[in-house]
Amino acid sequence: MTAGSFIHPTAIVADDVTLHDGVHIGAYSVIHPGVVLASNCFIGSHCELGVPVGGGRLPATGDNGRLVIGPDSTIRSGGILYTNSVFGSRLECGHRVTIRENTTAGENLRIGTLSDIQGDCSFGDFARLHGNVQVGKGSVLGSYVWVFPFVVLTNDPHPPSHHCIGVTLEDFAVLGAHSVVLPGVKLGRESVVGAGSVVKSDVEPGVLAAGSPARKLCMASIVRDKVNPAKRAYPWQAVFDRGLPWQGVGYAAWRRENPDAGLPTNQEERR
Amino acid sequence: MTAGSFIHPTAIVADDVTLHDGVHIGAYSVIHPGVVLASNCFIGSHCELGVPVGGGRLPATGDNGRLVIGPDSTIRSGGILYTNSVFGSRLECGHRVTIRENTTAGENLRIGTLSDIQGDCSFGDFARLHGNVQVGKGSVLGSYVWVFPFVVLTNDPHPPSHHCIGVTLEDFAVLGAHSVVLPGVKLGRESVVGAGSVVKSDVEPGVLAAGSPARKLCMASIVRDKVNPAKRAYPWQAVFDRGLPWQGVGYAAWRRENPDAGLPTNQEERR
Amino acid sequence: MTAGSFIHPTAIVADDVTLHDGVHIGAYSVIHPGVVLASNCFIGSHCELGVPVGGGRLPATGDNGRLVIGPDSTIRSGGILYTNSVFGSRLECGHRVTIRENTTAGENLRIGTLSDIQGDCSFGDFARLHGNVQVGKGSVLGSYVWVFPFVVLTNDPHPPSHHCIGVTLEDFAVLGAHSVVLPGVKLGRESVVGAGSVVKSDVEPGVLAAGSPARKLCMASIVRDKVNPAKRAYPWQAVFDRGLPWQGVGYAAWRRENPDAGLPTNQEERR
């Protein structure tokens, strides 16, 4: 046992697991071979980490790949994470999250209760998914994107077929609750999609779109704050900062100090 | 062990837990400190009750607040209920329900499989939520309301923002499957929203609304029963009684005996 | 223990359970009385099989009915299956699937992560449900049907009422993501419903319908493949074969050898 760690006596931890200092593993959790938990990770009860590809028996070869969880992460109870994925620091999962194999994420990814990442996906830094989101295979989500409840990112243009064409969310894009995005669609930087939309074609950067099919309504930057109409609601990063790197500093000041954070060059690297 | 109780030997029950007579706790369930289970509560397997606020480690102070579950309640397997909530008698949860902190409910709340109550919510008596419903923080649901599958009650008028403006469902309101209700919207007493709607503005009492955005179609009371067109379908309490206090008696007769049940005065108290 | 089986020492298996050769039961799973697992079934961790009707205590009579799972089936971790259901060979469930009582299925049913079958349902052979699908009580799904994520099959024509009128999907029908189908609707053989639709009336065989309410757009057979426009996308069985009986053979050749597979006569028998 590493320094300051707590492993509940009912947790089942395979031999080939790497635990750094200050790790907590809750009751009745199962940690399969190949899992690496960096320092101060909290794993709740009833979790299953390092699920083998296919979701069934461990491979007869003994090589289960690797699932790497960055430091200071929290995986709340009931989480199921497959092997062959890498998460940066401060991953935060709600309850009963599912994340399949070949997923990569930068820092501070947050995924809400019951959300389901279907694998072969990538996330930038500070991506935020609320609960009950389904991210189809092959999706590419940038940094500082927001996806609200019951959104589905699809990937098959005429299902069922052998095609898999993921959705792309550029940095700072916002996708409203109960929307579905059709395969291959790109939501541009700082674009906003209203709740209950069916998004069939690309949304240009900074545009607010809504409806079924979603159409451009206006530039998001002209939307006024409902509570304080003297303020603008978008771009959201100018008015919202909770849990974000510009908290208490303001986005403009932070951006001057961090001119490259979440810019398209990073996004290209992530692909 | 209290009289007539059953606690599975694998269940983990903290010292600071209060169990009344006839309680059943299933295999592999975890009961954190501060939980109070009234008489004859059934807790299925793989549940986690009294989850600390934040969903992570128990508080270092040792004070985990209180989760109070009323008598004769059933929490089916996989339920996750946070601390700091109070439920009246006969709470009934499907499987894998999530209920966050600061939730209060009257008697006989029913919540279907996989539904997710995000906290800071209140429910009257006999509220019914089907499966896969997400109730956003700050929602206020009256008595005898019905929420059907895949409904989302949102709370942020231009996400992400610092605003949280919950939805209100007045007594006897009905919200059809796969609908989304935008922040601050009020569904009036005995109103009905059709399936697949996006509700952007208030629905007046007794009105049937549907579509995206939802618009008034007619008064609900003129809708005829599909199977027996000589009967009216709404107000629903005149034709449906399963599990409700007027079962076998009829709503009109029950109302004469209980003139104050589920009336606006009660609703005000709940706020 | 039967030949080649593995039962994790933490699994709880009732006496009145029948296990055939090569069965695997994962950690912290609970197998209630009356469950029959045919040869080579894989049951992941944290599952609960044979849940009694009602989802609560086991019946005092000691007779919990029977849940029969066909050979070579896979139930991934977190699955909850009630008693009184029968599944043919090669049932395949994603994680945290829920299947209530009185469900019958032919061979090779696949149900994605978090999907919820509400009981009194029937499935033909090779039916495919993606994740987060809710199938209401009384639904009848034929063979080779596809249901994509966040679809709801409803059953109450003016909820809440005492009516339960299920949806019917004929063989080879396809139902796009985030759609809702109203009670009693029939989707005809080889019909296709676009994503985000609200289906209020029957869809004729071979028709592509979409929208809210869903309307006929064209015959599905005129839709061209997005990637290779020289090919047609529907009927899908001519272009897609993964995991299907005509894999590597081609649908036309397979159909000549199996003229009765998934035809209406079978469907009548299933009712």
Side-chain angles (χ1 to χ4, degrees):
Chain A
M1 181 96 66
T2 51
S5 289
F6 171 83
I7 299 176
H8 195 278
T10 62
I12 299 173
V13 181
D15 286 343
D16 178 18
V17 164
T18 305
L19 304 181
H20 290 269
D21 291 352
V23 163
H24 174 113
I25 301 178
Y28 302 127
S29 283
V30 176
I31 316 292
H32 293 294
V35 174
V36 178
L37 298 178
S39 55
N40 300 314
C41 281
F42 173 89
I43 313 298
S45 64
H46 307 96
C47 288
E48 187 182 14
L49 304 189
V51 177
V53 175
R57 292 171 169 80
L58 285 165
T61 63
D63 179 4
N64 189 39
R66 282 186 111 54
L67 166 65
V68 180
I69 312 275
D72 303 308
S73 294
T74 295
I75 298 176
R76 293 187 177 78
S77 56
I80 298 179
L81 278 71
Y82 277 60
T83 188
N84 290 352
S85 291
V86 178
F87 298 89
S89 60
R90 295 184 299 283
L91 168 67
E92 194 170 324
C93 296
H95 299 281
R96 306 189 191 85
V97 158
T98 313
I99 308 179
R100 297 252 322 255
E101 67 273 13
N102 304 324
T103 298
T104 59
E107 296 185 348
N108 237 295
L109 171 61
R110 284 196 194 166
I111 303 181
T113 290
L114 289 169
S115 281
D116 178 14
I117 314 301
Q118 304 215 313
D120 296 315
C121 295
S122 68
F123 297 85
D125 298 326
F126 291 89
R128 267 94 171 90
L129 280 64
H130 272 237
N132 280 291
V133 169
Q134 191 190 71
V135 178
K137 273 194 188 202
S139 301
V140 176
L141 288 82
S143 293
Y144 312 102
V145 300
W146 290 84
V147 185
F148 287 93
F150 285 79
V151 165
V152 180
L153 306 185
T154 69
N155 59 22
D156 188 344
H158 29 69
S161 81
H162 290 288
H163 305 309
C164 182
I165 308 172
V167 164
T168 300
L169 270 65
E170 291 190 342
D171 300 339
F172 299 99
V174 176
L175 195 37
H178 235 283
S179 295
V180 54
V181 186
L182 296 196
V185 167
K186 181 160 77 172
L187 304 188
R189 183 180 173 91
E190 298 186 359
S191 65
V192 179
V193 171
S197 299
V198 178
V199 191
K200 299 190 172 180
S201 51
D202 291 357
V203 179
E204 295 298 306
V207 162
L208 169 64
S212 173
R215 298 187 202 283
K216 174 177 176 173
L217 299 183
C218 59
M219 295 307 285
S221 58
I222 70 167
V223 176
R224 294 285 169 177
D225 185 290
K226 289 261 169 72
V227 179
N228 181 356
K231 292 171 65 179
R232 295 183 189 276
Y234 297 101
W236 61 266
Q237 61 268 30
V239 291
F240 185 83
D241 62 4
R242 192 165 55 223
L244 292 161
W246 54 88
Q247 187 169 353
V249 181
Y251 178 73
W254 174 81
R255 169 58 67 194
R256 283 191 297 273
E257 297 297 313
N258 298 273
D260 298 328
L263 288 186
T265 50
N266 292 7
Q267 200 152 333
E268 288 305 309
E269 284 172 17
R270 280 197 298 271
R271 284 161 180 278
Chain B
M1 179 98 66
T2 53
S5 289
F6 171 84
I7 299 176
H8 195 278
T10 61
I12 299 172
V13 181
D15 287 342
D16 179 18
V17 164
T18 305
L19 304 180
H20 290 270
D21 290 352
V23 164
H24 173 113
I25 301 178
Y28 301 126
S29 283
V30 176
I31 317 292
H32 292 294
V35 174
V36 178
L37 299 178
S39 55
N40 300 313
C41 281
F42 173 89
I43 312 299
S45 64
H46 306 97
C47 288
E48 187 182 15
L49 303 190
V51 178
V53 175
R57 292 171 169 81
L58 285 165
T61 63
D63 179 4
N64 189 38
R66 283 187 108 56
L67 167 65
V68 179
I69 312 275
D72 304 309
S73 294
T74 295
I75 298 176
R76 293 187 177 79
S77 57
I80 297 178
L81 277 71
Y82 277 58
T83 188
N84 290 353
S85 292
V86 178
F87 299 89
S89 60
R90 295 184 299 282
L91 168 67
E92 194 169 323
C93 296
H95 299 281
R96 306 189 191 84
V97 158
T98 313
I99 308 179
R100 298 253 319 256
E101 67 273 10
N102 304 326
T103 298
T104 60
E107 297 187 344
N108 236 296
L109 171 60
R110 284 196 194 164
I111 303 182
T113 291
L114 289 168
S115 282
D116 178 14
I117 314 301
Q118 305 214 314
D120 295 316
C121 294
S122 68
F123 297 86
D125 297 326
F126 291 89
R128 267 92 173 92
L129 281 64
H130 270 237
N132 279 292
V133 168
Q134 191 189 71
V135 177
K137 273 194 188 203
S139 301
V140 176
L141 289 83
S143 292
Y144 311 103
V145 301
W146 289 85
V147 185
F148 287 93
F150 285 79
V151 164
V152 180
L153 307 185
T154 67
N155 58 22
D156 188 343
H158 28 69
S161 82
H162 291 288
H163 305 310
C164 182
I165 309 172
V167 164
T168 299
L169 270 65
E170 292 190 341
D171 300 339
F172 300 99
V174 175
L175 195 35
H178 234 285
S179 295
V180 55
V181 186
L182 297 198
V185 167
K186 180 160 79 172
L187 304 188
R189 184 180 171 90
E190 299 185 359
S191 65
V192 179
V193 171
S197 299
V198 178
V199 191
K200 300 191 173 180
S201 50
D202 292 356
V203 180
E204 294 298 307
V207 162
L208 169 64
S212 173
R215 297 186 203 283
K216 174 177 177 174
L217 300 183
C218 59
M219 296 306 286
S221 58
I222 69 167
V223 176
R224 295 284 168 177
D225 185 290
K226 289 262 170 68
V227 178
N228 181 356
K231 294 171 66 181
R232 294 181 190 278
Y234 298 101
W236 63 266
Q237 61 267 33
V239 292
F240 184 83
D241 63 3
R242 193 165 53 223
L244 293 162
W246 53 88
Q247 188 169 351
V249 181
Y251 178 73
W254 174 81
R255 170 57 69 194
R256 282 191 297 273
E257 298 296 314
N258 298 272
D260 297 330
L263 287 186
T265 50
N266 292 4
Q267 201 152 330
E268 288 304 308
E269 285 171 18
R270 280 197 298 271
R271 282 160 182 278
Chain C
M1 180 97 64
T2 53
S5 289
F6 170 83
I7 299 175
H8 196 277
T10 62
I12 298 173
V13 181
D15 288 342
D16 179 18
V17 164
T18 305
L19 304 181
H20 290 269
D21 291 352
V23 164
H24 174 114
I25 301 178
Y28 302 125
S29 283
V30 176
I31 317 293
H32 292 295
V35 174
V36 179
L37 298 179
S39 56
N40 299 314
C41 281
F42 173 90
I43 312 299
S45 64
H46 307 95
C47 288
E48 187 182 14
L49 303 189
V51 177
V53 176
R57 291 171 169 83
L58 286 165
T61 64
D63 179 5
N64 190 38
R66 282 188 111 55
L67 167 65
V68 180
I69 311 274
D72 303 309
S73 293
T74 295
I75 298 176
R76 292 186 178 79
S77 58
I80 297 178
L81 278 71
Y82 277 59
T83 188
N84 290 351
S85 291
V86 178
F87 298 89
S89 60
R90 294 184 299 284
L91 168 67
E92 194 169 325
C93 296
H95 299 281
R96 306 190 192 84
V97 158
T98 313
I99 307 180
R100 298 250 324 254
E101 66 274 12
N102 304 324
T103 298
T104 61
E107 298 185 345
N108 237 297
L109 171 60
R110 284 196 194 164
I111 302 181
T113 290
L114 289 170
S115 282
D116 179 13
I117 314 301
Q118 303 215 315
D120 296 315
C121 294
S122 69
F123 297 86
D125 297 327
F126 290 90
R128 267 95 172 90
L129 281 64
H130 271 238
N132 280 291
V133 169
Q134 191 191 70
V135 178
K137 273 194 187 201
S139 301
V140 176
L141 288 83
S143 292
Y144 312 102
V145 299
W146 290 84
V147 185
F148 287 92
F150 285 77
V151 165
V152 180
L153 307 184
T154 67
N155 58 23
D156 188 344
H158 28 70
S161 81
H162 291 289
H163 305 310
C164 181
I165 307 172
V167 164
T168 300
L169 270 64
E170 292 191 340
D171 300 339
F172 299 100
V174 176
L175 196 36
H178 236 285
S179 295
V180 56
V181 186
L182 296 198
V185 167
K186 181 159 79 171
L187 303 188
R189 184 181 171 90
E190 298 184 0
S191 65
V192 179
V193 171
S197 298
V198 178
V199 191
K200 300 190 173 180
S201 51
D202 291 357
V203 180
E204 294 297 306
V207 162
L208 170 64
S212 174
R215 298 187 202 281
K216 175 176 175 173
L217 299 183
C218 60
M219 296 306 288
S221 58
I222 70 168
V223 176
R224 296 283 168 178
D225 185 290
K226 289 259 170 70
V227 179
N228 181 356
K231 293 170 65 179
R232 294 182 189 277
Y234 298 101
W236 63 265
Q237 62 266 33
V239 292
F240 184 82
D241 63 2
R242 193 165 55 224
L244 292 162
W246 53 89
Q247 188 169 350
V249 182
Y251 178 74
W254 174 82
R255 169 58 68 194
R256 284 192 295 273
E257 298 296 313
N258 298 273
D260 297 329
L263 286 186
T265 51
N266 291 7
Q267 201 152 332
E268 288 304 309
E269 285 170 16
R270 279 196 298 272
R271 285 162 180 277

